[in-house]
Amino acid sequence: MTTTAPLVVGAQAEPRQFGPLTTQMFVRYSGASGDLNPMHYDDVLARAAGNPSVFSQGMHQSALLATFATDWLGARNVRRFGVRFREQVWPGDILTCTGEITGIDTAPDGTKVATVALTCTRQTGGIAISGTAEFGVTDA
Amino acid sequence: MTIPSTEPAPKGAVSQEWEMFVERGKIREFATAMQSDNPDYAGADAIVPPTFLITAAQWAPPGVRLTLGFERKRLLHGEQEYIFHGALPTAGDRLLARERVVDRFEKPGKKGGLMRFAVIATEFHSPEGELIAEARGTFIETAAKEGAK
């Protein structure tokens, strides 16, 4: 969903939820990304390693946050997208993605670039990943 | 100079180069996994989603990538960043990828011992040599437990 709100500092995107997450979603991301770490699809191995169950890849949540951000500000406009991994995400979790424009600057080439703060929060209130990104914007 | 892949790569080390082909079907698979129905990720001119370049590792022949030298059981992925220098890679593109050790440093662990950090950039060039995109990962080796080897 693309927002029609004006792109000004402080503008926030309509939050979007993903989930409840399933192991099948983790498996689908494993195949798509090529990350075959069994902690994300093999429950026996995940439990043997001391986890309550398999858990989501941090890069899986990053990809969901990227879906949220590119639907908001345009897939072709992204210039930078960065995340920090903070809390594990488990089957059944519901993630809420939020974003806010924290800056609008003019790049050396004269184009306008919006900097955004992004957050992917679990239903517990814990932050799974936080991020920042830059998107070119046509008019701000 | 390329670094033999069995030795932990020091700051400044650069890997051998490998080819990556940006494929329409792989973009579609990736977009499905990220629950996106964005039309920009579909069709013959599909562009890559922001984190898609993680799939570059699948194109690297054995022994080409740098060796981090961190113990796998204590390895954490702390941060990941993608930087695009122009138009996004598009289905049909051929990219040349190589890894570079941007930084290595250490910090005392909260419960003693040393935490080790490595920032590894994967740089993607066009066949003409233009820098198209960079992927930067920050990896952490947590401090060893007291008395553990």
Side-chain angles (χ1 to χ4, degrees), chain A residues 31-103:
Chain A
S33 67
D35 173 2
L36 293 177
N37 183 340
M39 292 300 118
H40 307 303
Y41 55 82
D42 188 325
D43 223 37
V44 173
L45 281 180
R47 289 172 196 273
N51 299 293
S53 73
V54 295
F55 51 96
S56 164
Q57 303 90 339
M59 288 304 295
H60 172 225
Q61 300 135 44
S62 305
L64 297 175
L65 191 60
T67 290
F68 166 75
T70 56
D71 280 0
W72 175 26
L73 295 166
R76 292 180 188 276
N77 298 332
V78 66
R79 296 185 174 208
R80 191 182 65 74
F81 180 87
V83 292
R84 175 173 287 187
F85 304 106
R86 298 174 62 165
E87 199 170 284
Q88 278 174 297
V89 169
W90 305 92
D93 275 4
I94 297 171
L95 302 177
T96 302
C97 294
T98 57
E100 179 175 339
I101 295 178
T102 56

Side-chain angles (χ1 to χ4, degrees), chain B residues 16 22-23 32 38-39 41 43 54-55 58 61 64 67 71 78 80 97-98 103-104 106 118 126 134:
Chain B
Q16 297 175 62
V22 180
E23 298 173 298
T32 302
N38 195 319
Y41 303 142
I54 193 85
T55 64
Q58 294 181 72
V64 163
T67 299
E71 194 183 314
Q80 184 69 40
R98 66 178 183 219
D103 204 4
R104 275 190 181 271
E106 298 178 341
S126 71
E134 295 170 73

Side-chain angles (χ1 to χ4, degrees), chain B residues 42-101:
Chain B
D45 300 322
I47 56 169
V48 301
T51 65
F52 177 85
L53 292 174
I54 193 85
T55 64
Q58 294 181 72
W59 290 93
V64 163
R65 299 179 68 202
L66 296 174
T67 299
L68 206 52
F70 288 176
E71 194 183 314
R72 187 164 281 275
K73 281 185 177 170
R74 294 193 275 136
L75 176 63
L76 295 178
H77 191 183
E79 295 179 39
Q80 184 69 40
E81 181 180 34
Y82 295 90
I83 302 159
F84 302 98
H85 293 287
L88 290 161
T90 303
D93 283 357
R94 170 177 174 258
L95 300 176
L96 297 169
R98 66 178 183 219
E99 289 182 325
R100 175 189 301 277
V101 183

